[in-house]
Amino acid sequence: MKHIKSLIELSGVWFDYHPDRQMKEQWALQDINLTIQSGEYVVVMGPNGSGKSTFARLLNGLLIPTEGEVRVGDFSTSNGLGRFHIRRKVGMVFQNPDNQIVATTVRDDVAFGLENLGIPREEMIPRIERALEVVGLVGFENREPAHLSGGQKQRLAIAGVLAMNPEIIVFDESTSMLDPQGREEVRELMKELHQQGQTVIHITHSAQEAFLAERVIVIAHHRLQLDYPSRDLYNQSNLLEQWGLEVPLPIRVRALLKNQGVELNEPIGNSDEMVAQIWRYLSKT
Amino acid sequence: MNSVMIGQYIPIDSWLHRLDPRSKCIFVFCMLILIFFANNVETYTLLLLVGLMGVALSRISVLLFLRSMKLIIWMILFTTLFHLIFTQSGSIVLQTPILTIYEEGVRQAAIISVRFILLMIFASLLMFTTSPIDLTDGLESLLSPLRRWRFPAHEFAMMMSIALRFIPTLWAETDKIIKAQKARGADFESGNVYRRVKAYIPVLIPLMISSFRRAEDLATAMEARGYAGGVGRTKLRVLSIRRADILLLVCFAIVATALFWMRK
Ligand SMILES: Nc1ncnc2c1ncn2[C@@H]1O[C@H](COP(=O)(O)OP(=O)(O)OP(=O)(O)O)[C@@H](O)[C@H]1O
Ligand SMILES: [Mg+2]
């Protein structure tokens, strides 16, 4: 039998910012056990303050578990050398588009991570070009970040991460501060990256985004509460409501109709699809 | 407005623009020192000619240089007046019931004015033709030998470049806060100086709070991208000394020799 090694493995992880001051029941994250395979597209949801950002920061060694261990590939975040390798493997895109761009031009910013890794200049140039190509910012190389739109800034942040050739990209509410168009751009890009085999972990408050992923994890009250393939969640939207999470309208309507004995096909991606399905159902009867 | 704030760089292409920032820094620095060795009409004329040649080579409109002179016009007027009134040696040039002007006073006033103008020309040449990023890179490279005495050259340059990166962002934010406060009836335009300064406090405090937040976010983002100080870092931007840079330094040597030969 072939043993499949998971890409990310959290075992018995407990974490708090002030472990000595808090009772263990109040720690920011409690008893997290989780594995994520290469190529997965995972969404993490949960109420405010439940520990999602803390979880994200544990994944690339920005935070070290107080107890337990986080492993990425063959490395553990608990030792310094491991962290160095993990920073290269796990890229992170944050929430505020303005506060994660370091350099004064687009090209220099994509280079920043590569410079930190000590990549020789000749190798940097093609990697920067490729990353800008993937995010669609070719031609913007000499632009100042202040002259980019919110969506473009986030795409720049993604390019900066992509240039480092990560295996995993973690998005911590990276779409929440964007206008609808910027949000769509970034979502589209996430989907593309996933299709190219990248492992994507997306922390979000938007249930609509959750159903774009393959697997949904809910963290609430500092613990891992749900871990389902998003397909299975269609039939159990009440589970999301139970944790105070908003359920997208099409899914709610579908569940209500089902209670009335009206069975629609799944999955329903957006309200247009729902309307089409209701029409189809009505024309059948 | 933003571009004025960050170093007044004029992004066109010229022989001076293409020079390595380090050789420009060294050249301008040495020229500034040289100004203080000039002591007669010939030497000042020589330096003025060099400055004007620089202006021509930069292909930047003379008007822009004149505008930068506006910054020092008061300083020039003040010191000129000071010397005309208080320097009292040499023969009398002009005698009025309230004021007597001496020859030495006129001479001193002229010297100081020319010195200010020369300083401004050379400083403007550097600022106009060197982008802030190049300037930062150049300074990092020039200061890096000081690392041996624990001078944090890399950190210093990183700090400067982050400041440059955030000036437009903070500027836009200030603008937004001022508008928001105005919408709530804040008044920035009327009243005496004290009242006007006071009106800005509700702008500065949110700005400061958000800056701390930005700093924290940025530090996290930098760490997440593997930043761990200057050790083991490579650079995308490379500086290279070319023929033109050597030519510039040779020019300086010639000017300096001529000046020391011509001075009294
Ligand atoms: N730097 C910090 N120092 C101390 N406590 C912190 C720090 N950051 C977060 N916390 C605490 O840890 C807990 C989890 O916070 P975290 O930021 O992970 O929540 P979150 O799920 O990301 O929330 P949100 O949806 O608002 O982003 C919260 O109780 C928070 O107050
Ligand atoms: Mg968060």
Side-chain angles (χ1 to χ4, degrees):
Chain A
M1 207 178 85
K2 204 173 131 202
H3 178 69
I4 300 173
K5 216 160 167 291
S6 19
L7 184 54
I8 300 178
E9 194 176 338
L10 283 77
S11 41
V13 171
W14 289 73
F15 176 85
D16 195 62
Y17 293 91
H18 306 287
D20 39 330
R21 270 198 248 157
Q22 303 255 28
M23 310 231 293
K24 243 182 147 182
E25 303 84 75
Q26 289 167 2
W27 279 22
L29 276 181
Q30 304 167 13
D31 195 28
I32 308 286
N33 293 285
L34 181 73
T35 57
I36 293 172
Q37 310 300 328
S38 177
E40 273 196 275
Y41 185 174
V42 183
V43 148
V44 180
M45 300 182 75
N48 289 113
S50 55
K52 304 181 299 295
S53 298
T54 309
F55 169 74
R57 278 156 206 217
L58 283 164
L59 294 180
N60 77 338
L62 282 175
L63 299 173
I64 316 291
T66 317
E67 287 173 21
E69 194 181 33
V70 176
R71 295 190 70 84
V72 178
D74 297 325
F75 304 102
S76 159
T77 61
S78 301
N79 71 63
L81 184 68
R83 274 201 295 283
F84 176 79
H85 289 288
I86 286 170
R87 291 275 157 80
R88 173 194 304 236
K89 276 171 174 261
V90 185
M92 278 198 121
V93 181
F94 297 90
Q95 180 174 22
N96 191 325
D98 270 318
N99 299 358
Q100 50 186 323
I101 298 172
V102 185
T104 35
T105 71
V106 167
R107 183 192 283 114
D108 288 302
D109 192 66
V110 180
F112 179 74
L114 300 176
E115 294 179 328
N116 294 336
L117 296 182
I119 308 282
R121 182 168 186 273
E122 312 78 65
E123 202 184 320
M124 265 187 224
I125 294 166
R127 276 167 82 165
I128 294 170
E129 263 170 32
R130 228 195 80 69
L132 286 176
E133 222 168 84
V134 173
V135 303
L137 283 178
V138 174
F140 288 81
E141 287 84 352
N142 294 318
R143 272 299 178 96
E144 282 177 33
H147 297 160
L148 298 176
S149 73
Q152 287 170 335
K153 279 179 202 161
Q154 280 312 51
R155 270 149 58 197
L156 169 58
I158 296 171
V161 162
L162 278 180
M164 296 168 77
N165 288 339
E167 287 174 42
I168 303 141
I169 304 183
V170 183
F171 294 88
D172 189 354
E173 300 193 39
S174 308
T175 55
S176 65
M177 288 179 75
L178 301 178
D179 56 11
Q181 192 200 334
R183 200 170 298 164
E184 200 43 55
E185 286 171 12
V186 173
R187 275 180 200 159
E188 204 49 49
L189 192 53
M190 280 183 202
K191 203 170 100 190
E192 233 169 80
L193 291 173
H194 166 61
Q195 280 163 358
Q196 286 165 13
Q198 194 76 248
T199 311
V200 174
I201 300 175
H202 181 191
I203 296 168
T204 178
H205 277 289
S206 150
Q208 197 194 337
E209 284 176 355
F211 285 93
L212 298 175
E214 296 167 332
R215 175 176 173 194
V216 178
I217 289 174
V218 173
I219 295 178
H221 306 311
H222 314 296
R223 284 173 177 268
L224 202 148
Q225 307 284 5
L226 279 186
D227 184 352
Y228 273 102
S230 55
R231 221 153 232 293
D232 292 1
L233 269 182
Y234 275 104
N235 294 318
Q236 310 179 53
S237 54
N238 59 318
L239 279 179
L240 286 180
E241 271 165 357
Q242 184 189 330
W243 297 112
L245 299 169
E246 158 227 8
V247 179
L249 182 69
I251 289 161
R252 230 168 42 223
V253 169
R254 184 177 171 279
L256 289 173
L257 286 174
K258 195 177 169 194
N259 289 346
Q260 305 284 318
V262 178
E263 195 73 61
L264 296 183
N265 290 333
E266 58 180 313
I268 304 174
N270 54 39
S271 24
D272 284 348
E273 237 171 83
M274 177 185 69
V275 172
Q277 288 213 23
I278 293 176
W279 274 117
R280 215 169 299 142
Y281 178 84
L282 288 176
S283 59
K284 260 191 283 176
T285 51
Chain B
M1 191 68 205
N2 297 337
S3 55
V4 178
M5 290 187 66
I6 46 179
Q8 310 179 308
Y9 173 59
I10 315 282
I12 57 169
D13 188 39
S14 80
W15 191 77
L16 280 184
H17 282 78
R18 286 192 298 269
L19 287 171
D20 187 289
R22 289 170 299 183
S23 44
K24 270 189 275 190
C25 282
I26 294 175
F27 176 77
V28 167
F29 184 71
C30 294
M31 278 318 263
L32 295 186
I33 292 174
L34 214 53
I35 290 171
F36 293 95
F37 285 100
N39 63 357
N40 56 11
V41 177
E42 291 88 336
T43 45
Y44 278 115
T45 315
L46 173 72
L47 291 178
L48 266 175
L49 278 177
V50 174
L52 290 179
M53 242 171 73
V55 172
L57 278 173
S58 74
R59 298 179 51 195
I60 290 167
S61 151
V62 180
L63 276 176
L64 282 171
F65 284 91
L66 288 179
R67 201 181 301 163
S68 71
M69 293 292 166
K70 267 207 316 216
L71 293 172
I72 54 160
I73 194 84
W74 291 110
M75 244 148 64
I76 293 181
L77 284 180
F78 178 77
T79 47
T80 303
L81 219 60
F82 184 86
H83 277 293
L84 289 182
I85 296 170
F86 295 108
T87 309
Q88 300 185 336
S89 60
S91 55
I92 292 169
V93 180
L94 183 73
Q95 188 150 34
T96 62
I98 26 167
L99 178 70
T100 315
I101 294 176
Y102 295 86
E103 193 190 310
E104 186 59 23
V106 175
R107 224 179 72 84
Q108 287 296 335
I111 288 178
I112 293 286
S113 305
V114 172
R115 277 190 183 168
F116 269 130
I117 291 170
L118 282 170
L119 282 173
M120 209 56 202
I121 291 180
F122 287 112
S124 303
L125 273 176
L126 179 66
M127 297 313 276
F128 284 172
T129 66
T130 319
S131 75
I133 312 169
D134 282 341
L135 208 56
T136 314
D137 278 348
L139 281 179
E140 176 174 4
S141 165
L142 286 175
L143 293 175
S144 61
L146 298 182
R147 270 198 309 236
R148 205 181 313 161
W149 295 283
R150 307 225 172 155
F151 181 80
H154 165 76
E155 286 76 3
F156 178 75
M158 185 55 109
M159 226 165 69
M160 255 175 74
S161 103
I162 290 175
L164 287 171
R165 147 79 185 84
F166 276 93
I167 284 171
T169 309
L170 291 179
W171 192 252
E173 189 171 21
T174 315
D175 210 45
K176 217 161 62 188
I177 299 175
I178 288 181
K179 285 205 179 101
Q181 301 287 13
K182 271 186 182 164
R184 288 179 202 156
D187 181 4
F188 296 97
E189 268 112 40
S190 62
N192 56 24
V193 177
Y194 174 71
R195 276 199 43 187
R196 270 192 243 177
V197 170
K198 224 177 106 185
Y200 274 96
I201 292 177
V203 175
L204 289 179
I205 289 178
L207 195 64
M208 248 168 66
I209 292 172
S210 95
S211 300
F212 278 119
R213 186 159 187 131
R214 282 182 199 285
E216 204 178 315
D217 281 2
L218 188 70
T220 310
M222 285 170 69
E223 204 186 334
R225 284 213 262 162
Y227 181 71
V231 183
R233 247 181 141 245
T234 47
K235 300 209 84 183
L236 174 67
R237 287 172 175 273
V238 284
L239 301 173
S240 59
I241 297 290
R242 282 186 293 257
R243 284 249 307 271
D245 297 290
I246 295 168
L247 189 62
L248 182 76
L249 300 180
V250 171
C251 285
F252 173 76
I254 293 171
V255 171
T257 319
L259 187 129
F260 281 108
W261 181 64
M262 281 154 77
R263 80 194 281 267
K264 284 191 297 227

